[in-house]
Amino acid sequence: MNPNAMHPLLASGASPIAVDFDLTFLAQVVLFSTFVVVLKPLLFDPLLRVFEERERRTDGAKREAREMDERAGELLTRYEAEIEKVRREAGIERERLRAETAKIEAQIMAEARAETARILEDSKAKIAAEVARMRGELAAAQPALAAEIAASMLGREVRQ
């Protein structure tokens, strides 16, 4: 295989690029090395320390954020447990109050029924006494009434 066929410039017949190593190249290498040696303690090392400090602080902030997140999770768990405990206690208290209210309601209803029964018995006794008194008056007035009725039917006075 022809090596000139692999590269398009070489295949077209153009001459390869020639690099001359002269004193300017050597001067550039010396200047570059000098800049690296001078700038390393003045620029690169402080810049690397700044990057490392920033990384350390970032890691610390991330760790602190994880710890705060864990504490928040624990607090949330405790909060939810306390809320559940208060809800259970409130439910127990509510049931106790309902039972107490039902007991008081039953007591009041029993007293009201007893009072109603007593009032009914008193009223029945008064009515029975009034009926007996009226029957007595009616029995006492019966001869006079019978004579009066007979007199009005006969049209004359009837004697007893």
Side-chain angles (χ1 to χ4, degrees):
M1 177 177 225
N2 185 3
N4 289 341
M6 286 196 253
H7 195 277
L9 287 176
L10 294 176
S12 68
S15 66
I17 299 173
V19 178
D20 290 330
F21 290 105
D22 58 359
L23 288 179
T24 58
F25 177 74
L26 186 60
Q28 288 176 353
V29 168
V30 169
L31 279 174
F32 179 76
S33 300
T34 304
F35 280 134
V36 167
V37 169
V38 170
L39 289 178
K40 184 177 186 301
L42 293 176
L43 178 66
F44 296 132
D45 289 344
L47 190 60
L48 287 174
R49 280 193 299 273
V50 166
F51 288 157
E52 288 172 2
E53 178 66 19
R54 185 174 75 185
E55 187 68 27
R56 186 184 60 77
R57 285 184 182 181
T58 301
D59 289 342
K62 286 179 183 178
R63 185 181 71 256
E64 188 176 326
R66 277 192 302 274
E67 290 171 0
M68 289 176 70
D69 193 35
E70 289 172 4
R71 282 195 307 253
E74 291 171 4
L75 288 174
L76 180 63
T77 303
R78 281 196 324 209
Y79 170 76
E80 289 173 347
E82 286 295 320
I83 289 292
E84 186 59 33
K85 178 182 172 186
V86 168
R87 284 184 180 149
R88 277 194 312 272
E89 289 174 359
I92 291 169
E93 182 67 16
R94 182 174 47 249
E95 290 304 317
R96 185 189 65 78
L97 288 174
R98 282 183 186 164
E100 187 177 321
T101 302
K103 180 180 171 185
I104 291 171
E105 180 183 7
Q107 182 182 359
I108 290 171
M109 290 301 288
E111 290 173 1
R113 285 186 184 114
E115 182 68 18
T116 302
R118 187 190 59 78
I119 290 171
L120 281 173
E121 290 300 319
D122 288 349
S123 297
K124 285 179 182 178
K126 285 181 183 178
I127 290 172
E130 185 68 24
V131 166
R133 186 187 60 78
M134 291 178 113
R135 282 187 179 158
E137 287 178 7
L138 188 57
Q142 188 176 7
L145 282 173
E148 191 176 315
I149 292 172
S152 74
M153 299 271 289
L154 296 173
R156 64 178 179 92
E157 190 174 317
V158 178
R159 294 184 193 217
Q160 296 180 350

